[in-house]
Amino acid sequence: QSEINGLFMTLSSLSDILQDDGLIGQVYVLGNNSHSFNNKTRETIIGQSQEPSMLHGHIMFRGDIEYEYIDGVKLNGVYPGLAVPIKSKNDKVDRKDKQFQPVVWGDEQRQTALKYFKERLNKLNNN
């Protein structure tokens, strides 16, 4: 099995654990956009000297952005149906637009969410 297959299997399991709570998990697999194309050799080059490639994924949970699916942690973000834009350093977009603003949690919210995810993962692993 390849690294990308393992990543997809993990992300699909994680994206599914909150579906019972009314959230939709959207999966994005990325590599930091740290790749380029060499026109002379016709090759795609993975990684850059200043930015190595690192395969990773994101799960964007979509639902009512005002609701606390996890007690004490409001979902935030943009409403379902609106695109969740994935930014790159080369994008020319208005960063003041709400959909480009990061969701920032405090330490307490992060710890609460982490505990919740651990409990859900343990439940998933025990089934």
Side-chain angles (χ1 to χ4, degrees):
Q1 295 288 330
S2 71
E3 179 183 7
I4 196 165
N5 285 341
L7 179 61
F8 272 111
M9 288 171 37
T10 302
L11 289 171
S12 67
S13 294
L14 285 171
S15 70
D16 196 36
I17 65 172
L18 297 182
Q19 195 145 354
D20 290 343
D21 294 339
L23 287 166
I24 298 170
Q26 291 182 301
V27 174
Y28 298 81
V29 176
L30 308 163
N32 286 352
N33 285 332
S34 59
H35 50 269
S36 58
F37 186 75
N38 184 317
N39 280 317
K40 289 182 183 176
T41 63
R42 311 302 298 166
E43 294 174 312
T44 301
I45 297 145
I46 310 243
Q48 305 289 331
S49 60
Q50 70 278 12
E51 183 182 13
S53 182
M54 185 178 87
L55 183 65
H56 66 282
H58 296 262
I59 302 172
M60 309 293 186
F61 287 103
R62 309 298 298 274
D64 181 348
I65 63 174
E66 298 295 325
Y67 186 74
E68 292 182 2
Y69 294 90
I70 301 170
D71 288 336
V73 183
K74 193 165 43 165
L75 182 62
N76 288 320
V78 296
Y79 280 105
L82 298 175
V84 176
I86 302 297
K87 301 179 291 189
S88 87
K89 61 185 171 232
N90 297 321
D91 288 341
K92 306 289 187 241
V93 295
D94 182 3
R95 303 283 182 193
K96 294 178 186 142
D97 189 322
K98 179 181 171 145
Q99 56 186 339
F100 290 105
Q101 299 301 311
V103 172
V104 180
W105 286 349
D107 287 338
E108 187 176 324
Q109 291 172 307
R110 246 190 318 280
Q111 290 303 317
T112 300
L114 184 59
K115 180 180 177 212
Y116 178 84
F117 279 108
K118 284 180 179 178
E119 289 170 358
R120 298 295 272 194
L121 285 171
N122 283 332
K123 185 177 175 184
L124 179 71
N125 288 332
N126 292 326
N127 286 337

